[in-house]
Amino acid sequence: MTVIEVLGIRHHGPGSARSVADALAELEPDLVVIEGPPELDGLLPLAGDPDLVPPVAALVYAVDAPRRAAFYPLAVFSPEWVAMRWAAERGVEVRFADLPAVHHLAEPREPETSESVGDEPAAGVPAHPPDAIGTLARAAGYDDPERWWEDAVEHRDTSSLQRFAMIREAMTEVRAGDGFADRDQENQRREAAMRRVLRAAIKEQCERVAVVCGAYHAPVLHPDAFPSAAHDNKLLTKLPKTKVAVTWAPWTADRLAVASGYGAGVTSPGWYQHLFVTWAEQDREDRRDLVVSGWLTRVARALRDEGLPAAPATVVEAVRLADALAAVRGRPSVGLSELNDATQAVLCEGSEVPLQLVHRQLVVGEVLGTVPEAAPMVPLARDLDRLQRSLRLKPSVSESALVLDLRRESQRARSVLLHRLRLLGVPWGTPADAGRTTGTFKEGWTLLWQPEFAVSLVEAGLYGTTVLGAATSVVEERAQQAADLGALGDLVEQCFLADLPEALAEVITALAAQTARQQDVVALLETIEPLARTRRYGDVREADTTLVADVLDTVIARASVDLRPGCASLDDDAATRMRAAVDAAQRGISLVEAEPPVWRAALRAVAADDHLHGLVSGRVNRILLDLGLLTTDDVARRLSRRLSVGTTPSAGAAWVDGFLEGDVVLLLHDAELLRIIDDWVATVDETTFEDLLPLLRRTFSRFEPAERRQLGTRLKNLDTRLATHAAGDGDLDWQRALPAVRRVADLLGLEAR
């Protein structure tokens, strides 16, 4: 006769993990059944591999739609992990039991309710049933379910099997009270699938079967509570199917936390690991003392690493305070809340700031698991692993800065890899400031590996088996689907950054075709800057930019011809976009060469036309002034004309806004321009000024506070400065300059006269 013992556990609970280990040692089953889709059976050959180091996750994904995927994370303190390792070390058979993933991932799921270890990063974390352990904890007056589990279950002087029998009885009452199981068909299907595995074990005449499952499911998985097989078969018929694949993936302590959004997460993975490891490695008499002293010792070490004082004597005092708090609160042992309070009071001198450091590093943890090289991987992930090893770029869950010197081949190869991964939707690296440098050969990155990248790699694997091949295919597809020149211009730049010569040819062809038929001058203008950056900085990456140069010349010529007609009859929104496009085009052109004659002619035509929108006209006049193609006298005449009585105040304000974009130095050093604007504002009548004020405020709010103060001082003394300027000898005030002239003469060894 088959004996089935159902071990109802709390997922990722160290107390549950210890109880499972004790129960398995007491029962010595010949079959261990673990909650999880049966497809995970394919991962069991690696269960005992020493290179499989938690936290890890079993990943199941739909082959034809990788975004439909589910993670099943496991930590060293997860009861499922303990059961799997126990069986692997003893050669005991293991089977997973749950609704098969071929059904679970067949189509986008509606929000379900289940106490599953699984997580769906792409589709969202599914809802879970009422936390049964939380319900019992609240009934007992506890706000921490794990703490209740420790106090009510772990510290009882009973055998492990008796503990689980009591848990099953309590869960029976919870299920009868909430009526959840009667309402949720998805949960009923899951439990029917679990019973199907157990029925097969009974049919095979297994002697002793241990079932490790969420405590909520325990009452219905005991043979005494089995419904008929026909009942379960009816629930599992006619379900949709899809082809799935499975693999092991590294996971992180951070992703085990509830704060990350993981539905079956815990609040303190690092603390739970400390609890479990300490209890597993020490004698029973020493465990409780070592849990407290060992934790506070780690806290003190972390604080000292950050340059904060944490003497051994303060650790002893914190241990005493934690014990006292547990006694005052009526707790049978010290918990994390007592340790945090003692840490803040003694080691952090009452401050919460150092406590946040402890929370991030220790309470949550900064650990990344590893998987064996023999683990099944999609070819793309295998190629990435090879590249990471050859380039010595090891994934880490701790954010790190990386500055690359693109003149060195090995570091340029790192840059290429990071850019290719971004194209594939794997943003392992985020562009960052490279620090103080005047060259273009430095590139800064911020690196942070996320476990969800495993799914992104599976999805990107549909484009190719290598990082280079997949990135090339992605760019070629985007080039074919690009709706405008701006997108193609960005793709050209990305091709150079990611070193994709084959994809570049495809993008250039598409860009040339769209340029020939493009009628939107704004789109042409917006394409210039990314092309110019590629042309300017391509030599740093030893890339051939000849094709880009030819297309760039064509785009500049087309944009120049269409610029003046394209600026006619613009409303405010269109003028804002046009001004931004002209600015971008000018930035790009200035990168590669002196302004081509055709571009200069186009700017002059726009600047001289008083009928164009002020935002565009004013901005173009400022560009010409900065380039030395207009004098301040020219600009003063145009400014005076645009702010004359015959022009509406709003039109004048738009011209001023366009002209002054950038810095305020021009007004600080040119009293004539400042006087013209000041006189114009003074002549605006009161009613019109109320409408004009927001426009002026927007213009001048772009300047720094110190610049606005300087401008106010100039305006206050404007009349005096103009009078001095008019009375002086030309543009020079020799009396004021005399001390400086004498000092320079002394430095040069000349005789001042």
Side-chain angles (χ1 to χ4, degrees), residues 36-43 57-63 65-73 96 99-106 109 118-122 242-249 251 454-455 458:
E39 288 84 358
L40 299 186
D41 289 350
L43 299 178
L59 168 62
V60 188
Y61 60 91
V63 174
R67 275 293 165 187
R68 292 211 300 270
F71 281 111
Y72 295 83
F96 283 93
L99 184 68
V102 295
H103 305 310
H104 172 71
L105 300 176
R109 301 171 61 196
D119 182 18
E120 292 183 350
T242 189
K243 185 178 180 181
V244 301
V246 296
T247 185
W248 287 111
W251 204 247
V455 174
V458 172

Side-chain angles (χ1 to χ4, degrees), residues 222-278:
H222 194 276
D224 295 341
F226 277 17
S228 66
H231 172 272
D232 288 348
N233 291 336
K234 184 178 179 180
L235 287 170
L236 298 174
T237 58
K238 298 181 180 180
L239 297 179
K241 289 186 177 182
T242 189
K243 185 178 180 181
V244 301
V246 296
T247 185
W248 287 111
W251 204 247
T252 66
D254 178 65
R255 283 297 184 271
L256 288 167
V258 172
S260 71
Y262 169 39
V266 293
T267 56
S268 47
W271 161 246
Y272 282 174
Q273 179 158 339
H274 172 77
L275 272 179
F276 180 78
V277 171
T278 303

Side-chain angles (χ1 to χ4, degrees), residues 113-115 128-135 138 174 178 180-181 183 216:
T113 50
S114 63
E115 191 183 3
H128 288 260
D131 187 341
I133 295 178
T135 300
R138 287 191 296 272
V174 171
D178 65 28
F180 173 80
R183 298 191 304 268
Y216 194 81

Side-chain angles (χ1 to χ4, degrees), residues 369-386:
T370 61
V371 300
E373 291 187 21
M377 302 174 83
V378 294
L380 177 62
R382 182 74 65 190
D383 183 58
L384 174 59
D385 181 68
R386 177 187 64 81

Side-chain angles (χ1 to χ4, degrees), residues 494-513:
Q494 290 168 14
C495 283
F496 273 92
L497 295 174
D499 190 16
L500 303 174
E502 293 183 9
L504 177 62
E506 184 80 19
V507 177
I508 291 294
T509 300
L511 183 61

